[in-house]
């Protein structure tokens, strides 16, 4: 059994919490008022908007050392929905990895909508969580948590692939915000 800490109580935090418990693992969820509560999970999911990540890292960096840290953010300009806010050759996940050199950082869940995680499907296809990272053991542990809940995973490669995952997440969000696709749909992976 794996113990997961989720920082963030929004739709995605709740959806990921449901996945964790459905698969028989344990979860603790943190909101803004839990700043003094220590993080104890083997895996820590940053389920906060990208602009809030720097505050989380400023207050919890020491607690995240030696942990698997999962970045689910899509660093997009929420005012205009017209661009990512990280350099073209970078990613939010890369920034987090640089800020947390003692953590094993993964990118995952950012190409999924909460409804597809909860429902377990995208249209007629099973929900697939793409996972990028440089630590094979960390990816395998997260994949085990996800697949225990009945979802699929695909190893999306090294952490440097996070920028492509963020671009894919950005495209999906802008399509949904523009009412081209529904928030219960999105991209699916056929293997």
């Amino acid at each position: 059994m794996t113990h997961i800490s989720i920082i963030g109580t929004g739709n995605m935090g709740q959806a990921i919490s449901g996945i964790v418990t459905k698969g028989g693992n344990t979860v603790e969820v943190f909101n803004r008022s839990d700043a003094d509560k220590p993080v104890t999970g083997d895996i820590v999911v940053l389920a906060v908007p990208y602009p809030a990540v720097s505050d989380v890292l400023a207050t919890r960096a020491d607690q995240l050392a030696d942990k698997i840290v999962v970045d689910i953010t899509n660093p997009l300009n929420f005012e205009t929905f017209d661009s990512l806010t990280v350099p073209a050759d970078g990613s939010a996940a890369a920034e987090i990895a640089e800020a947390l050199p003692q953590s094993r950082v993964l990118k995952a869940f950012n190409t999924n909508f909460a409804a597809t995680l909860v429902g377990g499907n995208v249209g007629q296809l099973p929900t697939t969580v793409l996972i990028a990272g440089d630590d094979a053991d960390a990816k395998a542990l997260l994949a085990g948590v996800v697949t225990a809940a009945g979802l699929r995973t695909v190893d999306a490669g090294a952490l440097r692939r996070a920028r492509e995952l963020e671009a894919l997440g950005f495209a999906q969000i802008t399509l949904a915000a523009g009412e081209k696709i529904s928030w219960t749909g999105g991209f699916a992976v056929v293997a």
Side-chain angles (χ1 to χ4, degrees):
M1 181 176 0
T2 303
H3 182 56
I4 294 34
S5 297
I6 300 175
I7 300 174
T9 58
N11 291 340
M12 288 297 289
Q14 292 174 33
I16 295 167
S17 177
I19 288 169
V20 171
T21 57
K22 183 177 181 182
N25 296 289
T26 59
V27 66
E28 62 183 348
V29 180
F30 295 81
N31 61 34
R32 289 182 186 159
S33 66
D34 293 327
D36 294 331
K37 180 179 166 186
V39 172
T40 61
D42 306 303
I43 298 174
V44 180
V45 178
L46 302 179
V48 297
Y50 173 70
V53 168
S54 60
D55 289 340
V56 171
L57 298 183
T59 59
R60 296 194 180 272
D62 59 331
Q63 295 175 27
L64 301 177
D66 301 318
K67 304 239 184 237
I68 298 168
V69 177
V70 181
D71 169 32
I72 76 163
T73 67
N74 284 302
L76 60 104
N77 183 327
F78 286 101
E79 292 177 12
T80 63
F81 279 88
D82 69 352
S83 64
L84 293 172
T85 60
V86 293
D89 62 346
S91 68
E95 292 175 356
I96 292 167
E98 185 176 331
L100 300 174
Q102 296 177 332
S103 302
R104 297 179 288 165
V105 176
L106 302 177
K107 184 72 171 190
F109 299 110
N110 75 300
T111 61
N112 304 105
F113 289 144
T116 65
L117 293 172
V118 171
N121 61 336
V122 179
Q124 300 301 313
L125 298 173
T127 298
T128 301
V129 177
L130 302 174
I131 304 171
D134 296 332
D135 187 295
D137 292 337
K139 287 194 281 189
L141 186 60
L142 180 61
V145 169
V146 172
T147 58
L151 304 180
R152 294 177 48 216
T153 64
V154 170
D155 184 334
L159 192 63
R160 68 179 174 271
R161 295 287 69 85
R163 69 182 181 172
E164 287 84 11
L165 295 182
E166 290 173 4
L168 182 60
F170 168 58
Q172 184 171 254
I173 289 168
T174 57
L175 288 170
E179 299 181 352
K180 307 293 183 194
I181 64 172
S182 74
W183 293 97
T184 59
F187 300 134
V189 176
V190 178

